[in-house]
Amino acid sequence: MGAIITLSILALLVLYLGLFKANKALLPVSIVGLLVVVGLLVRDWTVEANPLYNGMILFDHYAIAFSVLCTVVTILVLVLSKGYFTSSSDHVAEYYTLLLFSLLGAVLVNSYHNLALLFLGIEIMSVALYILVGIRKKDLASNEAALKYFIMGAFSTGFLLFGITLLYGASGSFDLEEIKHYVVDHPDQVSPLFYGGVLLMMIGLIFKVGAAPFHFWTADVYDGAPILITSFMSTVVKIASFAGLLRLFTFSLLPLQDFWTPIFLGVVVLTLFIGNLSALMQSSFKRMLVYSSISHAGYLLFAVVAAGPDSANAVFVYGAAYSLATLTAFAGLILVKRTIGSDHFESFNGLAKKNPYLAAVMTIAMLSLAGIPLTAGFIGKFMMFSAVMEQYHIVLLLIAVLNAAIAVYYYLKVVVAMYFRTGEDKPVAINGNYVFLFVVTTVLTILIGVYPNCLMQLI
Amino acid sequence: MDNLFLLILTPIIGALFLLFVCQHAIAKKAALILSLITLGLTVPFICQFDASGDFNYEQSYPWIAALGVNFHIGIDGISLPLLVLTNVLVPLIVLTTFRKPFKGNFYALMFFMQSGLMLVFSALDAFTFYVGWEVALIPIYFICALWGDGDRIRVNLKFFIYTFLGSLLMLVAILYLHQQVATNDFEWHSFVSLDLDAVTQRWIFWAFFIAFAIKIPIFPFHTWQPNTYTHAPAAGTMLLAGIMLKMGVYGLMRWLLPVVPEAAASYGQLVMILCVFAVVYASIIAIQQQDTKRVIAYSSIAHVGLISAGVFAWNITGLSGAMMQMVNHGISVVGLFFVLDIIQDRTGSRDLRNLGGIAKKAPRLALVFLIIIMGAIGLPLTNGFIGEFLLLKGIYEYGVWYAVFGGLTLILAAVYMLRLYQKTMLGTTSERTENFSDIAGVELYTLVIISALIIYLGIFPNSLLHISSASVSILATFLGR
């Protein structure tokens, strides 16, 4: 609980620092504050988890693990922000504050125990992002992205809210525990209202995780947003949304599995194909990552389709692996774009000759995203695949295999550009923060890939 | 010193050393020394090997407890020859690259691959096997795409995606088998003692078979192979043809036949037809090639077709022949590609129409090339003879007609190999071969070692056969289960 309070105070503090023009202090204060948050979260690990504040919030292992993951990824995003924000705006404090508030929303989504708080969390998370996406006031793409995101986001929230209302109407409570009781106690006579509510909530949440068929906003929004914001959205926000979705469906709505599993199965298949085939067509590295993030949402949904005791761990490991690799990829993109001025695959041409270490790091990230053994991505995929196998969705697994083979093609495009093509002879400058990030993400990617034991039975 | 895990780790340490420590100037020598160290460390395994058919040097460590994965390795009579082959060929391949401007990173990739290969040949846990399988793939992709020529990028991407798709199918099969195992592990022993029904066996068979067939490659999964071989650097082709395709055959013997014996028996005939067809088909194509590398690429499809047929004949003779021939093919193919690489370097051409008369200018090269070619054709007293004899005998035991058509390989191989020899070595010299200088130094030593191995194994085949015989007999008993 201390984590949420600290996070709120931290966000306000950073805003005030900005007010007093203490721009140099913003980054250190934010990072120290977030480290404190991590500490507070970890401290709660051994404490017996009980719903707090009239059952609003629950800091169990599930919530803590996902919140720590989100916070750590945010720290890594902030590490990259040095010099990034100042180049596009004078009001740097806004960035930090909004990112911190968005993280606060993510933590709430990870730990909600009451649908009202789920709604609140999602709104806090999203509203901050609406602004961040459009924060480059003079950039048309950024403006368009923000508007699109805002309108679509508002719609999806509407669905979500309506769904929550219907669930309340049927079960008489917002509390996850109560809703679960309602479903268990009325196995044969669950009100039609309730089913309607589940459907609407599904729509809202599928929207938030960016899965098909409600993925249309992702490409333009992720593409239009500043790269750093995109990397935050496609990691922290995605993981938190999944954590929220997973908790609702695998905890409260599990008895209705027969009802929602087929729908999610359809969503998964659509998402995988749409994500991968679209990613295949892209000539821009950034858009490729965006579409591939849609396809990763498909893989993450495996855990929901095969809901079971290991689902949370699978999502956690997959989310961690995916975030590490995605951060590396986006960081590499920022550096390359700064030098070459374009985010197309061609701008990576010949990178291996100029910056062999950067190329190696990017290659490891791509291999991890593609799911090659001895990287974290493989362990994540392996857990997802084995979860699906346990439920004998073999056809789904074969579809996933086909998609993984498609994915390897477009991930290797970057590798091909970096190693096998020749490009402009401008070396890419890398500063200390980026080196730090690359070292952390790459070492963790390989460490989790080689010895994932520590993460796999966490929750 | 007979710690298998350390042996597998040695090349990785070598690779890291080459990547981060060693200067470019001495990278070659360092790579040679490192590969010889690995070879040296292999010697105790050969000397103290107990050929009773059990697994030797077993080591098992818990790896990913949550998934039931153990790092379980061990070698028997089927693994050991391939493990030794790998560690013998790697120094030889390093030697063949001495004339080339390769740097430390090239050798580092080679060593990473070597570790992956050793892991494949010794894994007794399906997860470990899969990891080795993929770890061997990544470096060779980079080797071929970085140092290859021509349309290498597209060709290698095709190769990579083909094999990756195959691997994923295998992964699905492994996961399925894992679900069936009561002890919730990936152990080979658990997999082989599963009692699967016929329907399950069938689709597990295909998932495994396609993965292995792509790697070998068995017709019709071979389409990536000729182009990849042609556009890869010589050393890459040697790694691919000499060692990597053995992964596939080994996979058939270790993971396919014992795990799904009934399906393997019932589809055996189909596979045999594919293999025998490939022998004839690839040989005929090989006869018509003008590109020297493509001749060997297609001949390789024919040879492994026969080896796979020997495996699926699934009797002791056929399996022994397959073991023997895998080693032989590895040695011969490295020799062949090396000679062709020497010719290409000196003449700048791989086209048979531009070559000829080299024997006059380079008698030493002509002699060793003849020995290697004789080995590849299967002349008595060379290694190829024993292998092909056993293979054909095994296939004959399975079905006469398979042996008849498979036997065509002897005649057709003679045709394309002798044609290759004739068009390069004999006849009049051409513009390009006029100033051909004979081999000396490292080139000579390397080829002499290869020739010596060919003749040694031709005269003393038992040194290899006695290692594998017990394990092969055990494998043959799985059929009757």
Side-chain angles (χ1 to χ4, degrees), chain A residues 239-443:
Chain A
I239 292 169
S241 309
F242 258 104
L245 185 147
L246 195 70
R247 190 186 294 254
L248 179 66
F249 282 91
T250 55
F251 181 73
S252 294
L253 304 179
L254 196 60
L256 293 182
Q257 208 173 1
D258 292 343
F259 168 68
W260 50 259
T261 303
I263 305 176
F264 273 120
L265 270 174
V267 170
V268 168
V269 174
L270 260 184
T271 308
L272 284 177
F273 276 111
I274 290 178
N276 277 313
L277 291 177
S278 315
L280 198 61
M281 320 275 186
Q282 303 307 316
S283 56
S284 147
F285 179 64
K286 192 178 178 190
R287 277 188 93 86
M288 182 279 276
L289 282 178
V290 169
Y291 280 109
S292 91
S293 100
I294 295 178
S295 78
H296 283 288
Y299 289 116
L300 279 160
L301 279 173
F302 276 24
V304 183
V305 169
D310 297 331
S311 291
N313 264 315
V315 168
F316 183 72
V317 174
Y318 198 103
Y322 165 74
S323 304
L324 292 170
T326 307
L327 274 183
T328 315
F330 277 120
L333 177 65
I334 293 176
L335 292 174
V336 169
K337 196 178 176 188
R338 244 182 228 165
T339 318
I340 314 284
S342 143
D343 52 16
H344 281 224
F345 283 108
E346 285 96 61
S347 42
F348 285 85
N349 283 0
L351 192 67
K353 285 225 171 60
K354 298 174 284 183
N355 298 68
Y357 287 106
L358 178 59
V361 163
M362 289 286 282
T363 306
I364 290 171
M366 290 302 126
L367 294 180
S368 182
L369 286 172
I372 305 279
L374 297 189
T375 62
F378 172 66
I379 302 294
K381 273 221 171 72
F382 192 84
M383 289 180 81
M384 288 299 174
F385 283 10
S386 65
V388 168
M389 183 56 98
E390 243 161 83
Q391 309 270 333
Y392 291 96
H393 295 299
I394 288 172
V395 178
L396 182 62
L397 204 53
L398 290 176
I399 290 174
V401 161
L402 189 64
N403 275 282
I406 299 174
V408 94
Y409 178 80
Y410 58 74
Y411 287 127
L412 279 182
K413 260 186 175 168
V414 196
V415 178
V416 165
M418 290 191 299
Y419 282 92
F420 313 138
R421 298 192 198 282
T422 45
E424 283 180 63
D425 209 19
K426 269 192 249 167
V428 173
I430 310 174
N431 64 32
N433 290 23
Y434 282 79
V435 172
F436 172 77
L437 174 100
F438 287 139
V439 169
V440 170
T441 52
T442 309
V443 167

Side-chain angles (χ1 to χ4, degrees), chain A residues 379 449-453 456, chain B residues 61-71 127:
Chain A
I379 302 294
V450 175
Y451 199 72
N453 256 350
M456 293 184 72
Chain B
Y61 309 101
W63 188 4
I64 309 174
L67 295 173
V69 173
N70 294 314
F71 187 85
F127 186 93

Side-chain angles (χ1 to χ4, degrees), chain B residues 205-243:
Chain B
F205 172 88
W206 285 113
F208 269 126
F209 178 75
I210 293 174
F212 298 142
I214 290 175
K215 211 93 167 191
I216 293 176
I218 291 178
F219 179 88
F221 303 100
H222 68 285
T223 54
W224 61 269
Q225 190 254 33
N227 283 330
T228 308
Y229 278 25
T230 319
H231 294 300
T237 322
M238 293 174 200
L239 287 169
L240 277 170
I243 319 177

Side-chain angles (χ1 to χ4, degrees), chain A residues 3-158:
Chain A
I4 293 179
I5 298 169
T6 315
L7 209 47
S8 322
I9 295 174
L10 180 66
L12 292 173
L13 177 69
V14 167
L15 195 61
Y16 274 99
L17 282 178
L19 210 59
F20 295 109
K21 303 282 177 212
N23 281 357
K24 285 219 169 110
L26 290 173
L27 184 61
V29 168
S30 311
I31 288 180
V32 170
L34 288 178
L35 288 175
V36 172
V37 171
V38 172
L40 288 170
L41 284 167
V42 173
R43 198 195 55 180
D44 280 350
W45 187 260
T46 46
V47 179
E48 200 190 339
N50 281 314
L52 302 167
Y53 297 101
N54 301 320
M56 279 302 210
I57 213 164
L58 175 68
F59 271 99
D60 53 359
H61 283 184
Y62 181 94
I64 294 173
F66 278 104
S67 301
V68 169
L69 178 62
C70 288
T71 315
V72 169
V73 174
T74 310
I75 293 175
L76 292 174
V77 171
L78 287 182
V79 165
L80 297 184
S81 71
K82 194 182 181 201
Y84 184 86
F85 294 147
T86 33
S87 60
S88 56
S89 164
D90 298 331
H91 309 286
V92 192
E94 292 169 3
Y95 281 96
Y96 292 98
T97 308
L98 289 169
L99 275 177
L100 291 174
F101 271 125
S102 187
L103 174 65
L104 173 64
V107 172
L108 290 179
V109 175
N110 288 334
S111 55
Y112 75 99
H113 194 258
N114 186 301
L115 293 182
L117 206 76
L118 169 67
F119 175 73
L120 209 63
I122 284 188
E123 280 304 272
I124 294 176
M125 186 166 78
S126 309
V127 171
L129 283 174
Y130 299 147
I131 309 166
L132 280 172
V133 168
I135 202 152
R136 284 187 175 153
K137 273 183 285 190
K138 287 172 189 143
D139 183 348
L140 278 180
S142 188
N143 286 340
E144 184 199 331
L147 191 64
K148 223 173 220 173
Y149 190 30
F150 176 63
I151 293 172
M152 296 292 207
F155 260 115
S156 75
T157 317

Side-chain angles (χ1 to χ4, degrees), chain B residues 100 102 106 143-149 156 228-239 293 341:
Chain B
K100 303 270 172 104
F102 290 130
F106 176 84
I143 288 177
C144 294
L146 273 174
W147 288 278
D149 57 17
N156 277 299
T228 308
Y229 278 25
T230 319
H231 294 300
T237 322
M238 293 174 200
L239 287 169
K293 256 182 151 178
D341 192 43

Side-chain angles (χ1 to χ4, degrees), chain B residues 75-156:
Chain B
I75 46 179
D76 67 350
I78 299 173
S79 317
L80 183 67
L82 295 171
L83 193 81
V84 176
L85 176 75
T86 308
N87 292 345
V88 169
L89 287 186
V90 168
L92 280 174
I93 296 172
V94 171
L95 275 175
T96 67
T97 59
F98 260 51
R99 310 157 294 133
K100 303 270 172 104
F102 290 130
K103 294 173 185 165
N105 49 3
F106 176 84
Y107 299 104
L109 285 170
M110 223 162 113
F111 287 158
F112 277 126
M113 188 184 172
Q114 189 182 8
S115 277
L117 289 162
M118 281 200 271
L119 198 57
V120 166
F121 293 139
S122 59
L124 290 176
D125 174 280
F127 186 93
T128 314
F129 176 76
Y130 185 79
V131 168
W133 184 268
E134 293 290 88
V135 167
L137 173 64
I138 309 286
I140 191 70
Y141 167 72
F142 277 99
I143 288 177
C144 294
L146 273 174
W147 288 278
D149 57 17
D151 197 6
R152 65 195 204 288
I153 296 175
R154 198 184 54 80
V155 164
N156 277 299

